[in-house]
């Protein structure tokens, strides 16, 4: 069992930067790829970014590529999402999740454990 707790969300102005954190407890953190997803009211959960268990592989959704960066600290059991050049369309609830697909995954169905989410709101 893995417990995930996100933090760092808030209300930001367009163009600002924000860093989300996701603290994990439970089984060996480096055994899981980690991902960030986001979801707004009435929308499907959207892939944002994923990072492999070792941290050596990352990839991003098209809407955030070049602006967001995912990283992890396996010694601290934390995964981060650094968000730069925020836009109003980035407004959503952001979720971190853990996957058995060790190389990382874009697919919601491959993630076994999910956090409760943290709200990010970007004003224009």
């Amino acid at each position: 069992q893995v417990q995930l707790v996100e933090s760092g969300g808030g209300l930001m102005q367009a163009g600002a930067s924000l860093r989300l954190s996701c603290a994990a407890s439970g089984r060996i953190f480096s055994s899981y790829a980690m991902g960030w997803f986001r979801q707004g009211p009435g929308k499907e959960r959207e892939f944002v970014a994923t990072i492999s268990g070792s941290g050596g592989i990352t990839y991003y959704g098209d809407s955030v590529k070049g602006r967001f960066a995912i990283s992890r600290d396996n010694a601290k059991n934390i995964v981060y999402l650094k968000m730069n050049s925020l836009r109003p369309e980035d407004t959503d609830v952001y979720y971190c999740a853990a996957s058995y697909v060790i190389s990382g995954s874009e697919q919601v169905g491959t993630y076994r454990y999910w956090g409760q989410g943290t709200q990010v709101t970007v004003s224009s």
Side-chain angles (χ1 to χ4, degrees):
Q1 189 77 7
V2 175
Q3 293 81 41
L4 303 172
V5 179
E6 302 96 336
S7 61
L11 173 62
M12 308 297 292
Q13 290 206 332
S17 296
L18 188 66
R19 190 179 76 166
L20 303 182
S21 300
C22 174
S25 60
R27 302 181 67 182
I28 300 173
F29 182 60
S30 59
S31 298
Y32 297 89
M34 298 298 295
W36 286 96
F37 291 77
R38 63 189 185 186
Q39 188 171 22
K43 294 164 44 180
E44 291 190 357
R45 196 158 290 193
E46 178 189 1
F47 168 72
V48 175
T50 188
I51 187 167
S52 62
S54 67
I57 301 170
T58 59
Y59 46 100
Y60 299 90
D62 289 341
S63 60
V64 306
K65 204 172 293 184
R67 298 189 298 124
F68 290 11
I70 188 171
S71 60
R72 66 191 295 162
D73 185 335
N74 284 347
K76 296 181 179 179
N77 285 12
I78 298 178
V79 62
Y80 302 101
L81 184 69
K82 181 66 185 303
M83 304 186 292
N84 299 315
S85 302
L86 283 164
R87 304 168 180 169
E89 53 264 40
D90 294 321
T91 295
D92 267 326
V93 177
Y94 284 72
Y95 298 89
C96 73
S99 172
Y100 284 111
V101 180
I102 193 64
S103 59
S105 173
E106 299 180 30
Q107 304 301 318
V108 170
T110 63
Y111 285 82
R112 176 79 178 270
Y113 302 105
W114 292 84
Q116 295 299 305
T118 185
Q119 176 71 47
V120 173
T121 303
V122 184
S123 63
S124 57

